[in-house]
Amino acid sequence: MNKSQVILFGNAEVPSNALAIQAIDNADKIICIDGGVDNLIKLGYEPSYILGDLDSLAFDPEYYKCEFEILEDQSKSDLEKALEWCVKNKIKSVILVGFSGLRDDHNLAVLLLLKMFSSKISITLITNFCTIYCNNGKARFNVSPGQIISIIASEPKTLISTYGLKYKLNNAILASPGHGISNIAINNSIEIESNDWIWLFLNHNK
């Protein structure tokens, strides 16, 4: 992973998957979203920056000995405000860690924010179970043979083509919301092309 990579670290389920920990290890900058900073410190890492309304910190912001910025707009989630901040500050790529689990409503909101911001900034979401992208157009992803891959379209008439998956799509729509679940990679990389936004779930190998 690129050493210039920026991590946005959230206040949801504490990451335990090896890929999530590796992302933190290799990051050049770790931007914590509000109380996520306390989870990061428990894992043994130091924050580079703290963003949010800062209402869920265990201590005063000055305690953490890093830069911080209060983002006060209560009509938006801390993650939405943080992504807006990243775009404003010309950050081109982020990995989201610590933004899944605990609350299903938060999980859904995070996926929708991926769709909202993926045209402005490259976003990778790593959970304890999978790596998630929101993509529109053509993209290639490194995988391993046998890895479980799922595709969910944001619109039912989205045309999708795939290469490197056991159950191939050729400019076809998904017949139902569950039609793209649990496909299987047959190569070391896959290609996905769509004419609208899709969520791609690369499930972690056990």
Side-chain angles (χ1 to χ4, degrees), residues 97-111:
V97 177
F99 287 95
S100 65
L102 302 184
R103 285 183 55 173
D104 293 334
D105 52 347
H106 286 181
N107 297 339
L108 178 57
V110 170
L111 292 176

Side-chain angles (χ1 to χ4, degrees), residues 16-85:
S16 58
N17 181 268
L19 287 178
I21 300 302
Q22 183 183 40
I24 300 170
D25 282 338
N26 291 333
D28 180 63
K29 181 179 293 184
I30 305 175
I31 301 174
C32 291
I33 310 304
D34 214 303
V37 66
D38 296 303
N39 286 338
L40 180 74
I41 291 172
K42 289 176 184 177
L43 286 174
Y45 299 92
E46 295 295 328
S48 308
Y49 215 100
I50 306 173
L51 296 174
D53 52 29
L54 310 189
D55 62 352
S56 59
L57 301 181
F59 305 97
D60 291 334
E62 293 80 2
Y63 167 85
Y64 298 96
K65 295 181 175 57
C66 68
E67 295 185 75
F68 64 89
E69 185 168 342
I70 299 175
L71 305 177
E72 295 181 335
D73 188 348
Q74 294 299 312
S75 68
K76 299 176 181 179
S77 71
D78 282 336
L79 176 57
E80 182 174 353
K81 290 182 286 187
L83 288 170
E84 288 178 344
W85 184 91

Side-chain angles (χ1 to χ4, degrees), residues 40-204:
L40 180 74
I41 291 172
K42 289 176 184 177
L43 286 174
Y45 299 92
E46 295 295 328
S48 308
Y49 215 100
I50 306 173
L51 296 174
D53 52 29
L54 310 189
D55 62 352
S56 59
L57 301 181
F59 305 97
D60 291 334
E62 293 80 2
Y63 167 85
Y64 298 96
K65 295 181 175 57
C66 68
E67 295 185 75
F68 64 89
E69 185 168 342
I70 299 175
L71 305 177
E72 295 181 335
D73 188 348
Q74 294 299 312
S75 68
K76 299 176 181 179
S77 71
D78 282 336
L79 176 57
E80 182 174 353
K81 290 182 286 187
L83 288 170
E84 288 178 344
W85 184 91
C86 288
V87 172
K88 179 181 178 181
N89 285 276
K90 303 187 185 308
I91 295 174
K92 296 182 178 181
S93 178
V94 294
I95 292 179
L96 307 187
V97 177
F99 287 95
S100 65
L102 302 184
R103 285 183 55 173
D104 293 334
D105 52 347
H106 286 181
N107 297 339
L108 178 57
V110 170
L111 292 176
L112 294 175
L113 286 172
L114 257 66
K115 180 186 174 185
M116 181 177 178
F117 281 91
S118 286
S119 62
K120 304 173 185 177
I121 182 172
S122 175
I123 306 175
T124 303
L125 170 62
I126 303 179
T127 78
N128 283 331
F129 302 98
C130 56
T131 299
I132 306 170
Y133 302 90
C134 194
N135 191 70
N136 183 359
K138 188 173 184 179
R140 178 190 291 266
F141 302 91
N142 293 325
V143 295
S144 58
Q147 188 171 356
I148 297 174
I149 311 295
S150 293
I151 303 169
I152 296 178
S154 63
E155 298 294 337
K157 294 184 179 180
T158 302
L159 296 174
I160 304 170
S161 296
T162 65
Y163 172 80
L165 294 175
K166 181 177 180 180
Y167 306 107
K168 187 175 182 180
L169 293 170
N170 186 12
N171 207 34
I173 64 171
L174 297 173
S176 71
H179 186 204
I181 300 294
S182 297
N183 210 326
I184 302 171
I186 57 176
N187 294 324
N188 289 316
S189 67
I190 60 172
E191 291 183 5
I192 309 287
E193 185 171 8
S194 61
N195 68 346
D196 207 335
W197 291 101
I198 60 170
W199 288 279
L200 180 66
F201 299 76
L202 310 182
N203 287 270
H204 300 322

